[in-house]
Amino acid sequence: CGERGAAAMLHCHVNVRSSEGGGELLCARELLSIFCAWLQFEHVAASLARSWVRRDRWCAPLYATGPEFSFSDKPWAQGGHRPLPPHLLDAPAFLRRAHTLWRGECCALASEEERVQRLFAVTPGRLASLNVEAVLKTGTYEFRRHHATTCGDAARNWCLFCVAFVEAARPGDGACLG
């Protein structure tokens, strides 16, 4: 298996809300559970990819604060970059907002679709290692943690891992508000 240069990444979309994609549509509670599991597992997932991917601007970790990612700087000339906008890659802010909505207005919403729309209206950004903006755009979670590869087995294994992660991270009781 050959590898490509640092400019390319392997992104895997896992269907979670698209009726066109087939499969079961996940509820808001399941989507939040998967997000929280990814936060816990993200360091491990980073170790599955090449080391340069951990610092790539197209798959930044959800716990990034900005200074550790010098997107426009070469590794040997870092320090002259501007910090990230404060709303990007801010998983704690996303979770605080989700918690507030969940305990308040989301409980009163009539449909699961309305809950999902409200919860994912503001996200940590599409450039994070787990792109949750894709939930509203394409009905998928986009996993952006793997390096580019020309190896079919490596690409397939990454996609299988992403699907298995979504299945394993869903709450076991199957209970969704509805």
Side-chain angles (χ1 to χ4, degrees), residues 52-69:
W52 58 263
V53 173
R54 297 176 199 151
R55 296 179 49 85
D56 193 281
R57 67 177 170 160
W58 305 111
C59 61
L62 287 165
Y63 55 82
T65 58
E68 69 270 53
F69 288 94

Side-chain angles (χ1 to χ4, degrees), residues 46-84:
S47 71
L48 300 175
R50 300 279 186 235
S51 60
W52 58 263
V53 173
R54 297 176 199 151
R55 296 179 49 85
D56 193 281
R57 67 177 170 160
W58 305 111
C59 61
L62 287 165
Y63 55 82
T65 58
E68 69 270 53
F69 288 94
S70 304
F71 297 152
S72 60
D73 296 346
K74 301 288 185 202
W76 54 85
Q78 293 185 1
H81 71 286
R82 291 172 295 179
L84 294 173

Side-chain angles (χ1 to χ4, degrees), residues 119-133:
L119 286 170
F120 291 93
V122 178
T123 69
R126 69 177 188 84
L127 299 181
S129 62
L130 177 63
N131 175 10
V132 295
E133 276 187 20

Side-chain angles (χ1 to χ4, degrees), residues 50-163:
R50 300 279 186 235
S51 60
W52 58 263
V53 173
R54 297 176 199 151
R55 296 179 49 85
D56 193 281
R57 67 177 170 160
W58 305 111
C59 61
L62 287 165
Y63 55 82
T65 58
E68 69 270 53
F69 288 94
S70 304
F71 297 152
S72 60
D73 296 346
K74 301 288 185 202
W76 54 85
Q78 293 185 1
H81 71 286
R82 291 172 295 179
L84 294 173
H87 68 282
L88 291 181
L89 307 174
D90 193 350
F94 174 75
L95 290 173
R96 280 191 302 274
R97 183 179 177 281
H99 182 267
T100 301
L101 287 171
W102 194 263
R103 295 290 178 219
E105 59 190 81
C106 277
C107 289
L109 295 174
S111 74
E112 192 61 36
E113 185 61 32
E114 289 175 310
R115 286 186 192 103
V116 170
Q117 290 286 333
R118 190 70 54 92
L119 286 170
F120 291 93
V122 178
T123 69
R126 69 177 188 84
L127 299 181
S129 62
L130 177 63
N131 175 10
V132 295
E133 276 187 20
V135 169
L136 297 183
K137 292 180 180 177
T138 61
T140 64
Y141 264 149
E142 180 187 14
F143 292 85
R144 304 170 61 98
R145 184 43 85 194
H146 202 278
H147 58 275
T149 182
T150 56
C151 178
D153 288 340
R156 185 197 63 207
N157 289 341
W158 175 245
C159 292
L160 290 172
F161 168 81
C162 294
V163 171

Side-chain angles (χ1 to χ4, degrees), residues 15-48:
N15 183 24
V16 292
R17 291 288 305 164
S18 173
S19 56
E20 295 174 8
E24 184 180 354
L25 301 184
L26 278 61
C27 68
R29 180 173 179 250
E30 291 172 311
L31 294 172
L32 288 174
S33 177
I34 294 164
F35 180 83
C36 290
W38 184 256
L39 282 176
Q40 294 173 336
F41 196 76
E42 187 171 32
H43 285 297
V44 176
S47 71
L48 300 175

